[in-house]
Amino acid sequence: MMLQLGDQAPDFSLPTGSGDTFHLADQRGKPVVLYFYPKDDTPGCTAEACAFRDQYEDFLDLGAVVVGVSSDSEASHQKFAQKHRLPFPLLADTSGALRKQYEVPRAFLGLLPGRVTFVIDAQGKIAYIFNSMSGATDHVSKTKEVLRGLVNAPGK
């Protein structure tokens, strides 16, 4: 059964490219943008990461945490983040367990890991899912729209 809007986001802990451990439960109380991407330093993935970087202040202003995930190693993430001055953590899902837990599909006849972005609200529920291999930077603009809606929702 696929994850749906309103479902509790599966909790996890994974190593980052900086050697820390990111634990989703530690982020309760603020929205989390969890974006899965195929591979460090490929054209689409670099464009997406740099778009998140270039608009990172907007995400901070919305109270959000941005986190990228791929199956690349911690060392690969560290090089990728340094090369492109990425201010947010990249998580090393080397076994693909988190990708499987979040039901991120493979693309292009199952040859590539998919590109899916989740917005997890402050209560830990999935508020948005965007699945698109093309238009990597669309993940950033659509995610910001959703976050603005969460921040400006009645009762906030």
Side-chain angles (χ1 to χ4, degrees), residues 58-107:
D58 295 342
F59 287 98
L60 290 180
D61 289 347
L62 292 164
V65 174
V66 176
V67 186
V69 180
S70 80
S71 60
D72 294 298
S73 69
E74 293 168 61
S76 175
H77 284 333
Q78 185 177 32
K79 287 179 193 169
F80 183 53
Q82 286 176 344
K83 180 178 179 180
H84 298 287
R85 301 177 331 277
L86 303 180
F88 48 84
L90 300 176
L91 307 183
D93 182 28
T94 55
S95 71
L98 186 63
R99 186 174 287 277
K100 187 174 182 178
Q101 192 176 12
Y102 273 78
E103 302 166 353
V104 176
R106 295 188 71 77

Side-chain angles (χ1 to χ4, degrees), residues 33 51-52 55-66 139-141 143-144 147:
V33 175
F52 274 114
Q55 297 179 54
Y56 187 64
E57 289 296 322
D58 295 342
F59 287 98
L60 290 180
D61 289 347
L62 292 164
V65 174
V66 176
H139 286 256
V140 178
S141 57
T143 300
K144 278 183 19 183
L147 286 169

Side-chain angles (χ1 to χ4, degrees):
M1 203 164 116
M2 300 237 356
L3 289 173
Q4 303 289 319
L5 298 182
D7 286 352
Q8 191 69 34
D11 192 25
F12 64 89
S13 291
L14 278 177
T16 70
S18 63
D20 297 324
T21 298
F22 180 91
H23 190 182
L24 182 62
D26 292 344
Q27 308 308 313
R28 265 309 145 77
K30 52 193 160 212
V32 175
V33 175
L34 181 67
Y35 81 94
F36 290 84
Y37 64 98
K39 186 146 183 62
D40 288 346
D41 248 345
T42 56
C45 298
T46 299
E48 181 179 25
C50 290
F52 274 114
R53 176 202 63 204
D54 294 346
Q55 297 179 54
Y56 187 64
E57 289 296 322
D58 295 342
F59 287 98
L60 290 180
D61 289 347
L62 292 164
V65 174
V66 176
V67 186
V69 180
S70 80
S71 60
D72 294 298
S73 69
E74 293 168 61
S76 175
H77 284 333
Q78 185 177 32
K79 287 179 193 169
F80 183 53
Q82 286 176 344
K83 180 178 179 180
H84 298 287
R85 301 177 331 277
L86 303 180
F88 48 84
L90 300 176
L91 307 183
D93 182 28
T94 55
S95 71
L98 186 63
R99 186 174 287 277
K100 187 174 182 178
Q101 192 176 12
Y102 273 78
E103 302 166 353
V104 176
R106 295 188 71 77
F108 298 119
L109 304 174
L111 299 175
L112 287 177
R115 180 184 316 279
V116 178
T117 299
F118 293 86
V119 174
I120 302 166
D121 70 16
Q123 291 74 45
K125 295 191 184 295
I126 297 173
Y128 181 69
I129 304 169
F130 184 63
N131 180 358
S132 175
M133 281 301 283
S134 61
T137 58
D138 291 343
H139 286 256
V140 178
S141 57
K142 292 187 181 299
T143 300
K144 278 183 19 183
E145 288 174 31
V146 170
L147 286 169
R148 280 189 197 102
L150 288 176
V151 170
N152 296 321
K156 296 286 176 186

